[in-house]
Amino acid sequence: MPFPSDEVLMKTAADVVAGFQAVFGKHPGYRPAHAKGEIFSGTFTPSEEAKKLSTAPHFNKPSTPVWVRFSNSTGIPNIPDTDPNGDPRGIAIRFHLGDRKHTDVISHSVDFFPTRTGAEFLEFLQALMGGTIGEFLGSHPPAMAFVQAPKPPPVSFATLKYFSVTAFKLIDAAGKETFIRYQFVPDAGVQSLDAEAVKEKGPNYLQEELEARVASAPIGFKLVAQVAAEGDVTDDATVHWPADRPIIELGKFTLDAVVPENLKEQKYIIFDPIPRVEGVGPSDDPLLEMRAAIYLISGKQRRAAEYAE
């Protein structure tokens, strides 16, 4: 399936941004989705297996500085961490490659996406706005499955597993391509709260907990890749790959500090779903170009805006 033309793509992306703002309200200076978040800094250390699969610099250098933004869902900057609408939680990683170069990976805490295309996601938002979401979900099984997927409240951003959802290809020195989906596996293990425990938590418990955890000791995640087999779907983020597909460890993240001037940095940084780096390529998933356009539009809006108090 071909990508939309640039004109159609940008129009749809702008409509999605406007749709988020219609659902969640306009909050100048903040993202229209995953508005509430915080950036932490640390390093990424690749595995030997990563070096075999990809020529990318962050998979071949001894280590690479990273920023990692943890976030809640919705475009509401002050959404309580206890609100179930804050799921899925998000993670966005920037690998700082030096000389103003970088590459990013964006993931969330559910292992698939509700729609295959940006246009279909716009329909999802329009159904929310128009009060016809029940009809939309009834006619779109992947979206219904996404809404119904278990999303237990986490103990910490550091006790969640995150999934890239879209597929990418790792490219080795001989040009061999390996299709993968990233997963981020917490060193602390996956831990969630029951309903009673959540009632005891404050509205910012996830941010406060992670700040305290990092101040006490570094936190870690393994970056692993689920490897596609011949014939697996690589252009549809609503489709799961079979659970028996191999999992390969690509490296480790260690995070040890909150990035200074965090709100300012969050306003400025525009994460890019498309790798744009040697040794890693996009799949044909239509969400990649659409999400890149959405993030660019919302990023330009953030940079031009004054924060609303």
Side-chain angles (χ1 to χ4, degrees):
M1 179 178 176
F3 288 125
S5 68
D6 286 347
E7 183 179 350
V8 171
L9 184 146
M10 295 306 294
K11 172 66 166 60
T12 303
D15 287 345
V16 169
V17 171
F20 277 129
Q21 292 169 341
V23 172
F24 301 123
K26 287 188 175 182
H27 303 280
Y30 290 91
R31 287 163 170 77
H34 290 271
K36 184 180 183 180
E38 191 168 22
I39 306 174
F40 292 75
S41 61
T43 58
F44 173 74
T45 305
S47 68
E48 290 302 314
E49 193 65 28
K51 299 173 185 177
K52 298 175 186 175
L53 290 171
S54 173
T55 59
H58 54 297
F59 289 142
N60 286 273
K61 293 180 179 181
S63 66
T64 298
V66 294
W67 281 7
V68 178
R69 183 178 189 264
F70 297 93
S71 63
N72 288 346
S73 192
T74 84
I76 304 170
N78 61 349
I79 183 173
D81 295 347
T82 52
D83 188 330
N85 291 312
D87 283 301
R89 315 292 167 164
I91 188 173
I93 299 92
R94 169 149 296 179
F95 298 87
H96 292 279
L97 304 177
D99 197 24
R100 299 179 63 84
K101 295 179 181 177
H102 62 263
T103 190
D104 305 330
V105 177
I106 299 157
S107 302
H108 68 197
S109 58
V110 176
D111 62 348
F112 65 111
F113 202 72
T115 63
R116 182 174 181 268
T117 67
E120 192 179 18
F121 189 77
L122 178 59
E123 292 178 32
F124 176 82
L125 288 176
Q126 290 169 337
L128 278 174
M129 290 184 279
T132 58
I133 189 62
E135 296 173 21
F136 180 89
L137 295 177
S139 61
H140 293 75
M144 177 69 84
F146 186 88
V147 169
Q148 294 179 338
K151 304 174 187 73
V155 168
S156 168
F157 279 124
T159 65
L160 271 171
K161 189 174 181 180
Y162 303 90
F163 306 85
S164 70
V165 179
T166 47
F168 300 91
K169 51 190 176 185
L170 303 182
I171 306 165
D172 69 13
K176 179 185 176 184
E177 298 179 349
T178 303
F179 280 94
I180 59 97
R181 284 174 172 162
Y182 295 114
Q183 299 177 10
F184 298 85
V185 183
D187 289 355
V190 175
Q191 303 174 45
S192 57
L193 300 171
D194 61 30
E196 289 304 310
V198 173
K199 293 178 183 177
E200 303 299 318
K201 298 295 184 180
N204 300 309
Y205 87 90
L206 286 173
Q207 282 74 20
E208 293 166 357
E209 191 281 339
L210 196 58
E211 290 172 2
R213 187 182 288 245
V214 168
S216 173
I219 63 171
F221 287 84
K222 288 185 179 68
L223 174 61
V224 304
Q226 185 184 29
V227 180
E230 186 73 28
D232 281 345
V233 173
T234 58
D235 64 353
D236 188 342
T238 70
V239 175
H240 291 86
W241 292 344
D244 62 359
R245 296 296 181 256
I247 301 289
I248 296 173
E249 184 173 336
L250 298 177
K252 275 187 61 70
F253 291 92
T254 302
L255 306 179
D256 56 14
V258 178
V259 169
E261 297 188 89
N262 218 272
L263 277 178
K264 177 182 176 182
E265 297 293 355
Q266 289 190 69
K267 182 180 178 181
Y268 181 81
I269 193 169
I270 302 174
F271 291 100
D272 189 350
I274 299 176
R276 307 186 204 277
V277 67
E278 174 195 354
V280 185
S283 66
D284 288 333
D285 191 318
L287 285 179
L288 286 167
E289 292 283 358
M290 182 61 65
R291 290 174 75 182
I294 290 167
Y295 295 174
L296 181 62
I297 291 168
S298 66
K300 288 180 176 179
Q301 288 183 359
R302 282 199 310 281
R303 291 180 179 185
E306 295 294 332
Y307 278 117
E309 296 297 333

